[in-house]
Amino acid sequence: GHAIARAGGAPYADVVRDRVLRPLGMTRSTFRPLVAMTWPLALDHRVGPDGPAVLRPFPDDVTTWASGSLFASAEELARLAVALLDSGRVDGRAALPADVVAAMHRAATPVPGGDCGYSYGLSVCRRGRVRALSHYGFRAGTGSVVTLLPDERAAVILLANRNGGILGASERAILAQLAPAT
């Protein structure tokens, strides 16, 4: 995040907003909680012995922004998925450089102890006979799954506002419907 801020000559959140989110049409996505709270927002929840409860105070830790903490809706994440599945194009126009998207589809480094690689925020793996690019995100009271099947031109986006909200079983069931070879 620091390197991106230095190279971009602006705070990390601004560089990402201007160079990634705006070109994709992700106008309500942000790293800044106080901006996110000006739009409809699902708050972080934790389920305990007394049932679900909103986590308070709301976490605002700028040190986590580069590793996650993007506030985005499923609709806006779908715009990112479309661009990543179509060489950077969304709404019929180039939103991200095609060579950057191509690089994101290739593992930049292997992941120790497995058959997967890592590529600029995405895990690059084979699921059965199908190539998958995935990002799993979570905080104390939320979880997200973004999985792309580039060869099938399909994506799964799951968001949850509770602790442990990765929804892996749901992701696997959806993927099995989209690409039975997964």
Side-chain angles (χ1 to χ4, degrees):
H2 179 72
I4 289 171
R6 295 271 305 200
Y12 174 81
D14 295 345
V15 174
V16 174
R17 179 196 64 213
D18 295 344
R19 299 204 181 169
V20 178
L21 302 176
R22 280 188 181 158
L24 289 170
M26 296 174 68
T27 59
R28 294 185 178 191
S29 297
T30 182
F31 287 97
R32 293 189 166 94
L34 294 178
V35 173
M37 290 178 188
T38 66
W39 302 102
L41 175 70
L43 297 175
D44 295 357
H45 284 70
R46 173 151 296 163
V47 177
D50 298 328
V54 173
L55 288 179
R56 290 188 174 90
F58 193 86
D60 184 9
D61 183 358
V62 69
T63 66
T64 67
W65 290 3
S67 63
S69 298
L70 178 69
F71 294 88
S73 66
E75 179 180 354
E76 290 206 348
L77 287 172
R79 298 182 68 76
L80 172 62
V82 166
L84 292 176
L85 292 171
D86 194 17
S87 301
R89 299 183 62 76
V90 67
D91 295 334
R93 62 175 176 72
L96 299 175
D99 59 332
V100 170
V101 172
M104 292 179 72
H105 282 237
R106 293 186 304 272
T109 186
V111 174
D115 296 331
C116 297
Y118 189 75
S119 175
Y120 309 105
L122 297 171
S123 173
V124 179
C125 297
R126 294 211 71 78
R127 296 195 182 186
R129 296 186 309 268
V130 177
R131 185 168 57 107
L133 311 174
S134 299
H135 179 84
Y136 301 91
F138 60 91
R139 292 166 36 122
T142 59
S144 65
V145 174
V146 176
T147 297
L148 309 170
L149 304 177
D151 301 326
E152 285 71 21
R153 296 181 54 81
V156 174
I157 298 166
L158 299 169
L159 304 176
N161 66 326
R162 66 163 284 173
N163 55 313
I166 293 296
L167 305 174
S170 297
E171 177 206 22
R172 288 186 297 279
I174 295 166
L175 289 173
Q177 293 297 313
L178 292 173
T182 55

